[in-house]
Amino acid sequence: MEIRSVGVIGAGQMGNGIAHVFAQSGYDVLLTDISEEALEKAMALIARNLERQVSRGKTTEAEMALALGRIRTTGVLADLGACDLVIEAATEREAVKVKLFEELRPHLRPETILTSNTSSISITRLAAGTERPERFMGFHFMNPVPVMQLVELIRGIQTSEETYQTLLKVVATLGKTAASAEDFPAFIVNRILIPMINEAVYALYEGVGNVRSIDQSMKLGANHPMGPLELADFIGLDTCLSIMNVLHEGLADTKYRPCPLLVKYVEAGWLGRKVKRGFYDYRGEEPVPTR
C-alpha cells in the first residue's frame, strides 16, 4: 500500500512535530485535537520551526510554503477516517488512546493503517480493540521530532509483515532511521532511558548530590548532551512517571519502582518545562535548580 495522506491525533508536543516532518516530506496531513486553541498553537509552532530551518539553510522559503500548505486541521476526529495512515499522538494514558481508537473505528477505510506514538503501552493490547490488529503498529517518534533521527517500529503479536514493511518505507521517506522493537513495556529507548532518569531522581532524593551536581556529573563525566534531571523536565515528569509505572506493573520487578520524589513532583504539578517548573524553575531568564 502506498501512503499519501496522514492523519495525526493530538496537536501537542509530539503531534505537531509529526505533522511537520510528514508535510515536509510531501505527505498531505490532517491534524486533529479537541482544542481549537491547541491546533492554532501547533500551526504557529510548525511555522516558526520551519522558519528556523530556512534561516539555517536547511530548507527554502518555497519549500516551507509548500509544507505548510499540506497541513490541514480539524476538530472532528471522524475526518481522519479517509487517511491512508493514522498516527495517534495523544496523552500517554491507555484509556484515552483506547477511547480515541473506538471513536475512530466506524469511520476508517478497510485499508487504513492505524498506529500509536505511545512510548511505553502494549501495542498488542491497543491493537486488540481496533478490529484491525494486523494493520496496527507502534510508531514511536523521538522528541523533538524534526531533529531526532530515530523512529521505533513496534509490532504487536498480530501485526502483518505488509504493515511493517509499509511503515519501514515511510520512515525512509522521512529521512529517518527505523529501529525495530519487540512489544515489551517501554520498548528499547525508554526501557533504558527512563530507569536511568529515575535513578538520578533517587540520587537526588537520597542526597547523593543536588540537581546541578547530578546533571553536571552526567554531562561532563559521561558526555551526555543533557543531564538526566534536565532531560526529565524536557520530557515531562508526568510522562516519566507514567513510563516507570508501565515498567513496574508490566515487568513486576522492584528495580522499576518509581522514586517517591518523582511522584511528589508530579503530585505538586511540577511537571517540567511545559509548566515552567520541575527539577528546575524556568520562570526567570536562566533555569534555577529547585533542590
Side-chain angles (χ1 to χ4, degrees), residues 110-122:
E111 61 270 27
T112 297
I113 293 176
L114 279 181
T115 66
S116 175
N117 184 59
T118 179
S119 52
S120 60
I121 298 168
S122 167

Side-chain angles (χ1 to χ4, degrees), residues 52-216:
R52 188 178 296 116
Q53 288 180 326
V54 171
S55 70
R56 293 175 179 172
K58 294 184 177 180
T59 190
T60 66
E61 293 273 1
E63 289 168 339
M64 180 182 83
L66 283 172
L68 288 171
R70 294 187 188 107
I71 306 174
R72 294 181 297 121
T73 62
T74 178
V76 181
L77 182 64
D79 291 347
L80 272 63
C83 294
D84 299 325
L85 168 66
V86 174
I87 304 168
E88 172 274 313
T91 186
E92 189 68 357
R93 293 207 302 272
E94 186 168 348
V96 172
K97 295 178 186 297
V98 168
K99 185 179 179 183
L100 285 167
F101 288 128
E102 285 178 353
E103 289 180 13
L104 186 59
R105 188 169 59 197
H107 308 286
L108 292 168
R109 294 184 299 129
E111 61 270 27
T112 297
I113 293 176
L114 279 181
T115 66
S116 175
N117 184 59
T118 179
S119 52
S120 60
I121 298 168
S122 167
I123 298 303
T124 299
R125 199 161 61 235
L126 288 175
T130 66
E131 293 186 349
R132 59 179 69 211
E134 72 287 349
R135 302 186 74 78
F136 190 100
M137 273 195 73
F139 206 24
H140 182 215
F141 289 81
M142 306 296 124
N143 185 37
V145 181
V147 176
M148 302 297 280
Q149 289 300 301
L150 186 75
V151 181
E152 281 184 314
L153 293 182
I154 307 102
R155 279 185 274 200
I157 285 178
Q158 296 186 67
T159 303
S160 71
E161 181 64 19
E162 181 187 9
T163 298
Y164 171 71
Q165 291 297 331
T166 298
L167 292 187
L168 203 57
K169 290 174 185 174
V170 168
V171 173
T173 67
L174 300 177
K176 296 189 183 293
T177 300
S180 299
E182 294 300 318
D183 187 21
F184 288 97
F187 321 129
I188 297 172
V189 173
N190 285 322
R191 171 76 176 263
I192 297 166
L193 176 65
I194 302 299
M196 183 200 75
I197 288 173
N198 192 56
E199 193 62 29
V201 182
Y202 264 115
L204 179 65
Y205 177 60
E206 294 169 3
V208 178
N210 60 29
V211 169
R212 197 177 298 281
S213 64
I214 290 168
D215 277 352
Q216 282 182 337

Side-chain angles (χ1 to χ4, degrees), residues 10-13 15-16 31-46 73-74:
Q13 193 173 40
N16 76 67
L31 178 63
T32 188
D33 199 283
I34 56 172
S35 164
E36 182 62 35
E37 182 185 3
L39 290 170
E40 291 172 2
K41 285 183 177 178
M43 290 304 298
L45 181 58
I46 291 168
T73 62
T74 178

